[in-house]
Amino acid sequence: MAVDILGISAFYHDSAACLLRDGELVAAAQQERFSRAKHDARFPADAIRYCLDAAGIRLAALDRVVFYDKPLIKFERLLETYLAYAPRGLRSFITAMPIWLKEKLFLKDLLKQELATLGGIEVAALPPLLFTEHHQAHAASAFFASPFARAAVLCLDGVGEWATTSAWLGDGNRLTPQWEIRFPHSLGLLYSAFTYFAGFKVNSGEYKLMGLAPYGAPRYADLIREHLIDLKDDGSFRMDMRYFNYANGLTMTSRAFARLFGGPPRQPEAPITQREMDLASSVQVVTEEIVLRLARTLRRELDTDRLCLAGGVALNCVANGRLQREGPFTELWVQPAAGDAGGALGAALAAWHQYLDQPRNGAEHDRMQGSFLGPRYSNAEIEAFLHERQAPFSALDDPALMATLAELLADGQVIGWFQGRMEFGPRALGARSILGDPRNPRMQSVMNLKIKYRESFRPFAPAVLAEQVGDWFAQAAPSPYMLIVAPVAASKRTEASAAEQRLTGLEQLQITRSQVPAITHVDHSARLQTVHRETNPRFHHLISAFAERTGVPLLVNTSFNVRGEPIVCSPADAYRCFLRTEMDYLVMENCLLAKSEQPAHAQDPSWQHEYALD
């Protein structure tokens, strides 16, 4: 009999579900993709239904359900923190307590009730419910899904129960904790404090801060080291909590923080100034320094040259790039769903390997299946939807479709690309993507302002054929999950003119820096996705057709959504997003739609208020 394990993450942010059958990944998805509420923290009922359907199993037939957190230990941390800061934390305490006393303190009962309702069964008929620790789930998602039989594991995030940074040794089906750094000292919360101070939204705007960093200079880095954080040679650190408010207040930073950095936080949507650019650059440099020091410590302590990463800080692909180029490990693997969503996967894997003591079969291969673990829709389902909407389309076989798309892309058209199983994790990897020509110097601004409706400075990633990555980037190792930043190859760069070199701040967007300017950031870097024929053959086919047409084996690849919206999941989501934006074409499996041929529809901009700005 097969053993089926459901992993769940929920109630904090990025709720998700994952289903394992005999230790193999059957399905995984975030709740936000179904509810259309970004970073949805609610019980992931829709994601669980999808996972059960994908496995062809009823909830009552599961062998185990595993949750990625231990809420009682987290409540203990909350109480101890408030007592330590009393009476200063009274407002925060009064705000948090009703939620804990109503829901989170009794989370086990809440989970059981939600599961019973979902499964249409009595609570007594539920499968056994297990709980992992938060960082244990992160570590399990990183190591057990990796292609390594033995590796060091580093988990970095805001905070779990108590841990904010933890080190582990993964060996076979065992994960052994080594050491941890505890709340309130947190690299993730340090970065989030600067995210907040720069006027971006915590838990989603960290990507913006990272993208903004190359426009500035690290002129505040010494201030951070001297005042905010006491950093040791081994990478361990303590933070001066006088500058922060997250432990005992309702904001991330204190008035002392504002005094140190010359004024109050930037208001959301206010113009970005040089100060924000320099703050972003400064905290990014310090973050990279800490990650490198921690990695060197792990390499000294553990007899392995392989490293796995998870936790929200592991999504900092600039730090990952430096770690790959300068760090002490010969191989690096980052969990593509490194944040809390991946905790659902880690909880299930921890139960299979550690609780049930099952061996790791085939540990020499990446078990994430390219992270294509979500729903897929057949041509028949897509055609039925389009007929129902009376949406004109052409049905083309793959050879004709790829040739047509290559021609359209080369002509400057922007294409919505919807095919195969939806990605698990925050990145679009060629299943739910918006694509463009990387040679077009206007493509970045067009896609940011007319398609994504977001800030002009946000960089775009290249999806490049894995076998040709070294021709275009200073990178040889694979980066299938868009989690490594690497320099554009020197041979592909172009020299800025004397006038261009004098440009500062966001003016630097005007500079054409390489033969593929749409994906070249202001520091000549790019966030790489290597596309592999084995895990995504149709996307590989498309890029190959574009390369045959243009000589360039890469495309601009950004997620299929607008600002504040989760990545699209269904044909209805994709078609709606297509109509609302200035995308030129939409392809769903083998159905090609031209915007100019669609039924007349009023472009009412009020839809943009559906999504809270992230």
Side-chain angles (χ1 to χ4, degrees):
M1 288 286 290
V3 176
D4 292 300
I5 299 175
L6 177 70
I8 297 174
S9 64
F11 304 126
Y12 297 100
H13 55 90
D14 294 297
S15 294
C18 164
L19 198 138
L20 297 183
R21 174 162 287 164
D22 290 338
E24 294 301 316
L25 257 167
V26 174
Q30 292 122 285
Q31 176 65 15
E32 66 166 22
R33 305 295 169 83
F34 305 94
S35 68
R36 312 307 301 155
K38 196 162 188 179
H39 303 301
D40 198 339
R42 293 171 293 182
F43 178 75
D46 300 299
I48 293 171
R49 285 191 196 96
Y50 155 68
C51 289
L52 295 173
D53 289 345
I57 189 173
R58 294 177 297 105
L59 192 142
L62 292 168
D63 294 277
R64 299 284 191 284
V65 176
V66 197
F67 190 71
Y68 83 130
D69 219 0
K70 294 198 172 180
L72 289 179
I73 300 177
K74 185 164 282 191
F75 185 66
E76 170 194 275
R77 187 252 299 168
L78 198 68
L79 285 180
E80 286 193 25
T81 301
Y82 285 132
L83 288 171
Y85 285 93
R88 282 183 293 153
L90 184 60
R91 281 185 66 209
S92 179
F93 182 81
I94 291 170
T95 302
M97 277 305 102
I99 300 169
W100 272 93
L101 295 176
K102 183 180 177 182
E103 292 181 359
K104 293 183 179 179
L105 188 57
F106 305 103
L107 193 141
K108 185 174 183 178
D109 293 335
L110 176 63
L111 271 174
K112 286 183 173 181
Q113 190 55 57
E114 293 277 15
L115 287 164
T117 301
L118 178 65
I121 56 177
E122 296 294 323
V123 168
L126 286 172
L129 178 60
L130 306 176
F131 293 80
T132 67
E133 289 190 359
H134 187 90
H135 270 235
Q136 179 190 11
H138 276 320
S141 77
F143 176 62
F144 292 137
S146 80
F148 306 147
R150 190 174 191 276
V153 184
L154 185 60
C155 301
L156 303 140
D157 65 1
V159 61
E161 292 87 3
W162 277 103
T164 65
T165 298
S166 64
W168 308 70
L169 175 64
D171 193 351
N173 70 342
R174 295 286 94 191
L175 264 173
T176 307
Q178 305 297 304
W179 44 261
E180 66 182 31
I181 297 171
R182 302 191 112 198
F183 184 85
H185 311 291
S186 167
L187 180 56
L189 292 174
L190 173 70
Y191 205 87
S192 291
F194 279 85
T195 300
Y196 162 82
F197 197 75
F200 303 130
K201 193 172 181 179
V202 172
N203 287 331
S204 66
E206 285 78 5
Y207 303 128
K208 299 182 188 182
L209 197 72
M210 183 176 65
L212 192 62
Y215 294 95
R219 65 182 79 251
Y220 298 110
D222 286 341
L223 271 183
I224 294 172
R225 297 185 191 100
E226 290 168 14
H227 294 275
L228 301 191
I229 188 164
D230 178 17
L231 176 61
K232 305 300 184 185
D233 288 342
D234 63 1
S236 62
F237 57 87
R238 290 184 65 82
M239 293 161 63
D240 188 335
M241 296 309 296
R242 290 176 299 177
Y243 294 96
F244 302 94
N245 205 28
Y246 58 77
N248 65 321
L250 301 176
T251 60
M252 294 299 295
T253 60
S254 69
R255 283 180 290 210
F257 192 104
R259 285 194 298 270
L260 185 65
F261 294 110
R266 168 183 169 262
Q267 291 302 303
E269 307 308 312
I272 293 170
T273 69
Q274 192 63 47
R275 183 185 73 151
E276 283 77 53
M277 299 176 208
D278 293 342
L279 285 168
S281 176
S282 302
V283 74
Q284 180 64 37
V285 163
V286 173
T287 296
E288 293 166 21
E289 184 179 345
I290 294 170
V291 171
L292 281 165
R293 290 191 189 189
L294 289 169
R296 290 175 187 132
T297 297
L298 266 182
R299 183 66 182 87
R300 283 195 304 270
E301 292 177 348
L302 303 176
D303 183 24
T304 177
D305 57 5
R306 291 167 165 177
L307 175 66
C308 301
L309 293 177
V313 179
L315 295 171
N316 191 309
C317 47
V318 180
N320 295 345
R322 282 197 66 191
L323 189 54
Q324 185 169 80
R325 292 188 301 276
E326 305 171 34
F329 292 92
T330 57
E331 291 187 82
L332 175 69
W333 193 87
V334 186
Q335 166 54 240
D340 272 16
L345 166 63
L349 286 169
W352 174 251
H353 291 298
Q354 296 186 272
Y355 183 77
L356 297 178
D357 198 25
Q358 294 296 317
R360 291 178 72 208
N361 298 320
E364 70 287 345
H365 71 274
D366 181 330
R367 297 172 69 184
M368 290 299 295
Q369 303 167 35
S371 217
F372 302 113
L373 299 165
R376 76 180 313 150
Y377 296 85
S378 67
N379 273 308
E381 290 173 307
I382 293 166
E383 289 184 12
F385 165 77
L386 293 174
H387 286 308
E388 181 185 334
R389 294 296 297 266
Q390 298 183 319
F393 68 94
S394 303
L396 303 174
D397 62 17
D398 269 12
L401 178 63
M402 301 309 172
T404 300
L405 294 177
E407 195 70 32
L408 292 171
L409 287 162
D411 194 38
Q413 307 298 297
V414 177
I415 294 175
W417 170 258
F418 179 104
Q419 60 100 31
R421 296 185 72 177
M422 181 182 69
E423 301 92 340
F424 181 53
R427 306 295 191 214
L429 301 171
R432 306 288 188 273
S433 292
I434 300 172
L435 307 176
D437 183 350
R439 305 169 303 160
N440 188 330
R442 294 185 58 252
M443 189 56 65
Q444 181 186 11
S445 60
V446 166
M447 292 179 82
N448 266 327
L449 301 177
K450 295 187 175 183
I451 311 295
K452 304 283 282 188
Y453 301 109
R454 68 185 195 182
E455 301 90 344
S456 62
F457 69 84
R458 302 277 293 276
F460 287 110
V464 57
L465 297 179
E467 54 270 31
Q468 292 183 250
V469 62
D471 298 335
W472 288 82
F473 303 95
Q475 166 94 6
S479 176
Y481 302 122
M482 210 183 282
L483 287 170
I484 301 289
V485 163
V488 173
S491 62
K492 307 299 182 185
R493 298 184 189 181
T494 55
E495 287 297 321
S497 67
E500 287 176 331
Q501 289 177 19
R502 289 193 291 271
L503 297 176
T504 60
L506 298 185
E507 293 175 336
Q508 296 174 78
L509 279 166
Q510 302 168 26
I511 303 172
T512 298
R513 299 179 181 276
S514 78
Q515 296 174 28
V516 281
I519 57 85
T520 304
H521 208 13
V522 292
D523 58 354
H524 291 104
S525 71
R527 189 181 68 199
L528 288 182
Q529 180 201 357
T530 53
V531 179
H532 302 256
R533 185 181 284 107
E534 299 77 18
T535 50
N536 198 344
R538 292 188 83 235
F539 195 33
H540 190 280
H541 186 177
L542 173 59
I543 300 172
S544 299
F546 183 77
E548 189 174 334
R549 168 69 177 74
T550 65
V552 177
L554 58 138
L555 291 171
V556 179
N557 177 18
T558 188
S559 54
F560 199 149
N561 61 336
V562 295
R563 183 181 175 191
E565 179 191 20
I567 295 173
V568 300
C569 176
S570 68
D573 300 333
Y575 188 66
R576 182 171 55 248
C577 187
F578 171 58
L579 292 182
R580 286 173 167 178
T581 65
E582 295 183 47
M583 261 182 277
D584 301 296
Y585 288 85
L586 169 63
V587 57
M588 293 195 284
E589 292 296 343
N590 290 88
C591 301
L592 178 63
L593 295 82
K595 175 68 69 61
S596 60
E597 297 174 359
Q598 298 312 301
H601 56 282
Q603 283 288 358
D604 180 1
S606 65
W607 67 265
Q608 294 186 38
H609 301 297
E610 286 181 23
Y611 306 115
L613 295 180
D614 62 358

